[in-house]
Each structure stands twice: as structure tokens, then as C-alpha cells.
Amino acid sequence: VLDRGTVHTVSGPAIENGAVWFVDGVISGVGTADDYAQFLSRVRLSSPPTTIDATGRHVWPGLIAPWSQLGLTEIQSVVATNDTSETGDLTPEVRAVSAVNPDSTLIPVTRSNGVLLAAVYPRGGTIAGQVSVIRLEGWTNDDMTVLGSAGLSVRWPNTRPISAWWMDRSDEDQMRDIRQGQKAIKDAFDAAEAYARAKEGDPNHPTDLRWEAMRSVFPGFVADLAPVTGSAAVNGDPVTKSQAGQRPLFIAANDVDQINAAVTFASERGMRCVLVGGQDAPRCAELLKKHDVPVIVMGTHRMPRRADAPYDEPFTLPRVLHEAGLRFTIANNDDTAHERNLPYAAAMAVAHGLPHDEAVKCLTLTAAQILGIADAYGSLETGKSATLIVTTGSPLEVTTAIEW
């Protein structure tokens, strides 16, 4: 039990002089210290509970990195430590967690600053593979796996030629590649949907691993792609409810034309999508709200998108999204070795108008909802995983220490 601290449930108001008690990694109760005392008076325990005095401390859900490459890369200049990309342009069957190195020295460093969960993305092709959600502790990949397949990573092609100083290809050549890229995506999803219908009609239809991996993104063709294994099963971690839902497409797109094309493509096929990047998302706010498309903001410590954009455009983007009524979370989008700095990406948004509680929520409960693990993570509630941190103050402050 964590007793007599300020408990920030995220899903509700903070509880002064609060307590969180849990058994085998699952929260049994959240309330005031008096609530916990009454709980003890009603039950018989086989042994005295382990108690941590959290007086003067703050209890929060563990922070969630909604986009990372933790475990897939160690030292960028050493090729042997990088396993982010599979060979080929269409590799939907690839799962990021399969390549995660549990012994990565970056994992405990990230965990020490309060980031306890991370979404890991494959990179490389147009359809790069399955996004996985991991806990940042475990001896093996199975131990670390929370969700083997949280959705499909898709990189949307440009919709118009690039005219930057460094581009040495003609507009005609670029447009040809753009049309080929868009056609490749359309053909892949057409083939996958046809396969899903054939498989539904005849379970003995030959299995194609590529299209099988895409069945879960279509409505009505949902498969259980991520059974709970390893420590999750042993410890009773409550992550099974989100195993059977329709998976989203995590679509990387920043330009307004890209966003419009990607969201329209997904909605026409009844697919859910999450926008990764979304620098022009405010310009598409009505479309994103209409189709309930959340945004993963790819960092705040970066340059403005356009030469004539305000200098603080990256800092104010989360506030603008919040004011527009869009769901969003914030990724660090820095070198993987600096993933520990995730809280400070959100802190920059707070310094430029985003409410503090909303910033904490976007790194906890909202991130969990977007990744499909909110039934077990993201807030301090009875029945959820006791994945939490105890701090000396706000986790967004550089001066705050993570004590437990």
C-alpha cells in the first residue's frame, strides 16, 4: 500500500492524504487514508501488508510513451544495434516487439524518469508492421509485452511535389512516385480485405501471413492477435479486455493534404485511424472530430513546419488541439537515448498554454486510450494494473525526483 500521499487518479480529482492498495500487481482500492483504514478493519490478511509512507509525496499512473523505438535501437552509429526496419515496402506481418532487446540499457534509464510503458513502432516501408506496447521491465520479450499488436503502422505518401532547395528531382518524377505510393496502399488494403472475406467464407482458405496480419484493422474481421503471455499472465495483469477490438491504423502524416487523404481513405473503408505527426491537424480539425481521429504529436522541441510559421508553433500545437476539442497525446520524438525526456516535451506545451492536468492526462489515460490499453493502464482505479510512480512533485518538472 502507498499511504498518506496525494493520489492523482487522472480519471478523477486528486485525493489529498490518499492511499492506493494493490495485490499481485492489481489495484484493490483507491481512496483516502481513512478509507484504507476502514478496508483493513473489514478484511483478514494472512500477513501484514507492505506499506510505503508517501507523506508529502505524489502518486501518479506510470507515464506512457505513445511513440518510441525503445529496444529496437541502441547506438545509432553502430549498425548492429539497430533493428527498426524490415526488408521490403509492405511488411504488415512484422511485430515490433519481436525485435525488442530486453537488455537495452536505454530501458531502465527511461523507466527511472517515470516512463513505465511505451509503444514501439517498426519503420522502413509504406506499411511497416504492427505497433507493439511494452512495459519497460522484463527478462524476455514475452515478459515485456502488454499488447503485441496495437495497430498497423502506415506511412502516408506525400500528396504534392517537394520544392525544397535540396530536392534534385523534377515535379513529374515526384508525382509519378506519389501516384505509385498511393496505389500501393490501395492495392494492399484491397487484397487484404478480399483475403479477410475469403477466409471468413472458408476457414481452410490458404493462409497468407501478410494479409492475415491486416485482418484486425477491418470492421467485422477482428482476430485475437495478442494473447497475454509471460509475466502478464503470471501476475494477473488485467490486460485481456482489449485483445479483441478492431485495431487502428497509425498513419504518419503531417501535411494538410496528406491528413485529408489518409483520413478519408480510412473512413471510407470503415477503418479506425490515429494520426502520427499531425502538424497541420488544426487545419483539419472538423474532419478529425467527425471521424474521432486522435493525434500523436511528434514532439514539441522542434522547428516550425514552415518558414513563415510562428516561432512557437510546435510549442502551442497541443494547446491548439486541446482548444479544438481533439484527442491527442505527446511523443518525445528525439533520439531514443533521450526517451527519458518525454515529460519535458509535455512540459513545453504547458509553458505555452496547455493546462497542466491535461498534459499529464495526455501522457497517461489518453495515451492508454489511443493505444487500446486503457482497461488496464493510464489511471489509478480499482481493477487496473498497479503501474504507478511516486514523486516529489509534478512529473513534468525537471526538479521532480521519481522516488518509487
Side-chain angles (χ1 to χ4, degrees), residues 194-244:
Y195 170 87
R197 295 187 183 281
K199 197 74 171 178
E200 182 187 43
D202 179 11
N204 295 319
H205 185 278
T207 298
D208 186 308
L209 293 180
R210 291 181 304 164
W211 309 140
E212 185 69 29
M214 293 176 65
R215 287 179 67 186
S216 64
V217 304
F218 296 109
F221 299 108
V222 176
D224 185 352
L225 296 178
V228 178
T229 58
S231 63
V234 173
N235 295 335
D237 213 351
V239 298
T240 55
K241 294 179 184 177
S242 36
Q243 303 302 314

Side-chain angles (χ1 to χ4, degrees), residues 38-357:
Q38 293 177 13
F39 167 78
L40 287 181
S41 68
R42 296 195 305 267
V43 300
R44 291 185 178 181
L45 301 177
S46 57
S47 59
T50 300
T51 301
I52 294 176
D53 185 359
T55 301
R57 300 296 184 260
H58 298 261
V59 185
W60 314 78
L63 305 182
I64 302 171
W67 189 100
S68 81
Q69 301 221 284
L70 280 167
L72 302 184
T73 180
E74 194 77 9
I75 304 171
Q76 289 189 347
S77 61
V78 180
V79 175
T81 68
N82 296 304
D83 195 8
T84 62
S85 306
E86 187 58 82
T87 301
D89 197 49
L90 301 174
T91 55
E93 74 279 12
V94 170
R95 284 191 183 185
V97 70
S98 300
V100 167
N101 173 21
D103 295 324
S104 169
T105 58
L106 305 182
I107 291 175
V109 172
T110 304
R111 187 178 67 234
S112 70
N113 205 33
V115 182
L116 306 188
L117 298 162
V120 183
Y121 288 64
R123 301 179 75 176
T126 301
I127 301 179
Q130 307 285 330
V131 177
S132 300
V133 182
I134 61 173
R135 58 174 65 81
L136 300 191
E137 184 175 23
W139 287 98
T140 67
N141 299 66
D142 281 351
D143 285 344
M144 299 175 71
T145 300
V146 173
L147 209 54
S149 172
L152 192 63
S153 179
V154 178
R155 179 174 56 84
W156 201 261
N158 290 329
T159 55
R160 48 185 159 178
I162 297 173
S163 58
W165 62 267
W166 45 263
M167 176 55 68
D168 58 1
R169 303 185 64 216
S170 68
D171 288 357
E172 291 75 12
D173 288 345
Q174 292 185 64
M175 284 305 302
R176 183 174 62 251
D177 290 348
I178 288 171
R179 287 190 291 269
Q180 289 176 350
Q182 293 173 342
K183 183 177 185 300
I185 290 178
K186 180 180 181 299
D187 290 347
F189 279 91
D190 285 345
E193 188 169 12
Y195 170 87
R197 295 187 183 281
K199 197 74 171 178
E200 182 187 43
D202 179 11
N204 295 319
H205 185 278
T207 298
D208 186 308
L209 293 180
R210 291 181 304 164
W211 309 140
E212 185 69 29
M214 293 176 65
R215 287 179 67 186
S216 64
V217 304
F218 296 109
F221 299 108
V222 176
D224 185 352
L225 296 178
V228 178
T229 58
S231 63
V234 173
N235 295 335
D237 213 351
V239 298
T240 55
K241 294 179 184 177
S242 36
Q243 303 302 314
Q246 182 187 1
R247 298 289 188 264
L249 306 178
F250 290 88
I251 302 179
N254 282 299
D255 187 79
V256 61
D257 291 341
Q258 281 182 299
I259 295 171
N260 285 332
V263 173
T264 300
F265 175 85
S267 63
E268 286 177 346
R269 295 167 179 255
M271 297 185 294
R272 299 169 51 221
C273 68
V274 175
L275 193 59
V276 180
Q279 292 179 6
D280 280 348
R283 303 176 182 220
C284 314
E286 290 305 317
L287 178 68
L288 299 180
K289 281 196 290 187
K290 177 181 178 181
H291 298 289
D292 190 26
V293 177
V295 181
I296 298 178
V297 176
M298 293 299 282
T300 53
H301 296 110
R302 55 177 175 78
M303 298 293 289
R305 178 165 171 75
R306 297 176 177 85
D308 60 349
Y311 80 93
D312 60 355
E313 179 188 56
F315 312 148
T316 59
L317 177 58
R319 172 180 61 80
V320 173
L321 295 178
H322 173 62
E323 292 174 348
L326 296 173
R327 291 193 298 143
F328 69 94
T329 181
I330 301 175
N332 190 37
N333 195 30
D334 197 352
D335 187 289
T336 306
H338 301 149
E339 195 61 44
R340 67 190 185 281
N341 291 329
L342 171 67
Y344 314 134
M348 181 61 78
V350 173
H352 289 79
L354 181 67
H356 175 273
D357 289 351

